[in-house]
Amino acid sequence: LDVNTLNKISDAYDDQLEGRADMVKFYYQLQVNVMRQKLVGTIVIGKDNVLFNKPFSTSNQKKYLNNVKTGAELINEVAEKAKQYGTKVIVVDVPRRDVNLESYVPSWYISAVDFYEACIDVQREALNDDIAVIDVNRLFHENAGADTVLYWYYNDHHINAIGNDLILSEIIKLVQEDYPEVTQKRLEDYDIEYTQVYGALNRKIGLAASAPDEPLWMTPKGWEISYTRSDNGKESKEPVLRKIDERQKRTYSETYMGDNFGETIVDTDRDSLPSIFFCGSSFTNALEALSVPSFDNMYSVDFRYNTTTKDINDYIAQWQPEYVVLIPGQSTATFNLKHLKTHLGYLKEDIDYD
């Protein structure tokens, strides 16, 4: 059964059983706010109602670590091929949120911190020395100590605008080594509106978990960057940052880049600046949007939705950007080899991160 079929079945039940959606929400409200349960379905409720997926587990750590090494070697191959076009690869290691938010998980939650660090060590040992790596787990802790929730949505698995601004600043530092003229629009350059975010984790439990208003909508403060955009080879009028109608669900994916697309090109027509290519998933959406003021072209590919026969090497050859940003360990699937192959375009599979 595909997603569309399941949605049709759900709609059919809603039509036949009046108030079904309300009853489901009541059920979750009862579990979360009356019975105070900390595990509801697959969602774990932590300190201050910060939500998590169930703990990470693997039956064979040795095999998993070998796969981490294999994944690093695949990245090495991409970086070597990219050199002929003058393209540099930047690896951004995004941890599972339970690793970075360890102080917010329940006491019974099985920690994945030590195994994550083991994966990092294997990856670093295997990656070529000329590949720049940004360790987001350490970056967040260095800047916020134990209060790293500052950088994450409470009830969504994505990093928020504050966290993505910090990650982008590290990318810009690397770029400035070659192009000192490149600048970044920081948080203070935007009007930022805080609102209730309809997070993917909270949607799984009927939005039963309360959360504070969080940074979502961003509007340039007294400046503007002109650009043209195409999605999947067709001209697009979709803004890279948008405020969602109050009547609609306020989600991360709708706010940054307007959703996930197989291929996006944003051209600011500033040939003196370098170009950047983000190869990832929804975890790169905010980085993509926030990077537009800093680069000539911003390219992005999400191979989960890409219907071409191309892989990352083909796109590097086609676009020849100065930089490629890879996130090999997505937040809910840290260093999973199958997922990495999907993000490189070697496997054409859909991956559910919700």
Side-chain angles (χ1 to χ4, degrees), residues 118-267:
C119 291
I120 287 287
D121 291 342
V122 169
Q123 183 208 57
R124 297 293 192 280
E125 181 68 25
L127 280 179
N128 291 343
D129 292 338
D130 56 355
I131 295 177
V133 181
I134 297 171
D135 187 334
V136 173
N137 187 42
R138 294 179 182 175
L139 176 67
F140 284 1
H141 280 298
E142 287 171 358
N143 283 271
D147 198 25
T148 50
V149 72
L150 171 70
Y151 303 122
W152 299 82
Y153 291 111
Y154 273 64
N155 55 37
D156 190 275
H157 52 282
H158 293 105
I159 296 169
N160 66 23
I162 300 172
N164 277 291
D165 170 76
L166 184 57
I167 295 171
L168 182 59
S169 72
E170 294 299 301
I171 295 174
I172 294 297
K173 288 177 186 177
L174 293 170
V175 172
Q176 287 173 335
E177 294 176 5
D178 303 314
Y179 300 89
E181 68 274 20
V182 170
T183 60
Q184 178 187 359
K185 295 295 185 183
R186 300 303 303 264
L187 293 177
E188 59 267 24
D189 297 309
Y190 295 89
D191 287 317
I192 302 176
E193 294 187 60
Y194 283 63
T195 187
Q196 286 287 307
V197 175
Y198 287 68
L201 299 176
N202 207 12
R203 294 199 299 272
K204 285 191 171 184
I205 55 174
L207 301 175
S210 61
D213 287 350
E214 301 182 83
L216 187 65
W217 298 316
M218 304 178 68
T219 305
K221 189 187 298 182
W223 57 272
E224 182 179 1
I225 298 292
S226 298
Y227 59 82
T228 57
R229 172 176 176 170
S230 66
D231 293 320
N232 301 327
K234 297 181 180 179
E235 181 181 358
S236 172
K237 297 298 182 182
E238 185 74 49
V240 297
L241 291 169
R242 71 172 181 174
K243 178 175 179 178
I244 303 166
D245 191 294
E246 287 284 355
R247 295 168 295 180
Q248 299 178 13
K249 291 184 177 181
R250 299 179 288 277
T251 65
Y252 164 94
S253 60
E254 293 286 336
T255 298
Y256 301 100
M257 300 303 295
D259 212 343
N260 302 313
F261 297 93
E263 173 192 311
T264 293
I265 301 173
V266 177
D267 184 354

Side-chain angles (χ1 to χ4, degrees), residues 78 88 236 293 328:
V78 171
K88 292 184 177 181
S236 172

